[in-house]
Amino acid sequence: MIHLSYHPAFDAFHAIFRFLRLTIRIGISEIEIDKLRILDYYLLFPWRASAIRLAQKDLEVRRIAKRLEEHQDYATLPTGDALLERMRPSQTAALQTMAREGIVDPMLLRDGVVKFNAFALPAELMKRVAEKSLEEPDTMKIIDVLSAYPLLGSDGLKGRTSLLEHRYDKV
């Protein structure tokens, strides 16, 4: 018997949509690939933010994440760094597609930086991005807080989330 199931975490086209949501939400034109990947992870799995080592001023994120635990999906997925690593191929494919279409700079992408070029999204897509973010205000609050942290070091996103190795970061 063959069993197929779909999960947006492993869909490159869904990753493009999520990357656009993140970019528009945090208003950035340039971000490290690893930071974008981590933010993408928490956009999909906001309840997992309850395990992040947060600064004192951001402890509200933990309460929000605990409240979101009831919205967990049915799928049995690995946790933490194993899941982020399984998401890597679809995230990479999404970024490569965006580079091919001229949405991100392909030269900087090779250096680990996602730089969004000036581009205009179709009105219908902009509307859908805005609607989806409005549907998930708690998730977007988590993203707002996490996006303010730097990527590197023990107090950066890599160290606080334990999703990626941070001990060898140049800080």
Side-chain angles (χ1 to χ4, degrees):
M1 179 165 84
I2 296 175
H3 176 33
L4 296 176
S5 65
Y6 169 81
H7 198 284
F10 311 117
D11 181 341
F13 293 110
H14 198 273
I16 291 172
F17 181 73
R18 295 189 313 266
F19 291 163
L20 292 173
R21 283 183 66 198
L22 289 166
T23 304
I24 291 167
R25 178 63 182 209
I26 55 183
I28 47 115
S29 63
E30 194 171 304
I31 187 171
E32 300 98 330
I33 288 176
D34 286 341
K35 186 171 183 177
L36 184 62
R37 290 183 60 232
I38 291 170
L39 293 175
D40 181 44
Y41 174 88
Y42 288 108
L43 185 62
L44 273 174
F45 309 106
W47 56 88
R48 292 184 174 186
S50 63
I52 299 173
R53 183 177 49 84
L54 296 161
Q56 189 70 29
K57 66 180 178 58
D58 297 327
L59 291 180
E60 179 188 0
V61 166
R62 189 167 289 128
R63 289 187 290 278
I64 293 170
K66 292 272 188 202
R67 195 169 57 238
L68 290 173
E69 283 181 352
E70 67 190 44
H71 300 294
Q72 290 184 49
D73 53 17
Y74 65 91
T76 304
L77 296 169
T79 58
D81 57 345
L83 178 55
L84 185 63
E85 190 57 34
R86 283 191 55 200
M87 290 171 64
R88 180 188 297 271
S90 59
Q91 291 171 325
T92 301
L95 289 170
Q96 289 172 343
T97 300
M98 293 172 83
R100 190 178 62 243
E101 295 299 318
I103 296 170
V104 300
D105 185 319
M107 298 306 286
L108 287 174
L109 191 59
R110 290 184 199 132
D111 295 333
V113 176
V114 179
K115 181 177 184 338
F116 291 88
N117 297 322
F119 63 94
L121 289 177
E124 185 60 34
L125 181 56
M126 279 295 290
K127 179 181 173 197
R128 184 65 192 127
V129 166
E131 286 172 354
K132 188 66 175 169
S133 294
L134 286 174
E135 290 171 11
E136 301 174 343
D138 287 339
T139 299
M140 299 321 290
K141 172 91 172 142
I142 291 170
I143 295 301
D144 292 341
V145 169
L146 297 182
S147 66
Y149 286 102
L151 175 65
L152 304 177
S154 61
D155 286 333
L157 271 181
K158 288 166 67 174
R160 289 180 181 276
T161 63
S162 298
L163 291 175
L164 296 172
E165 179 57 55
H166 71 279
R167 290 178 295 185
Y168 307 108
D169 289 347
K170 292 181 183 178
V171 183

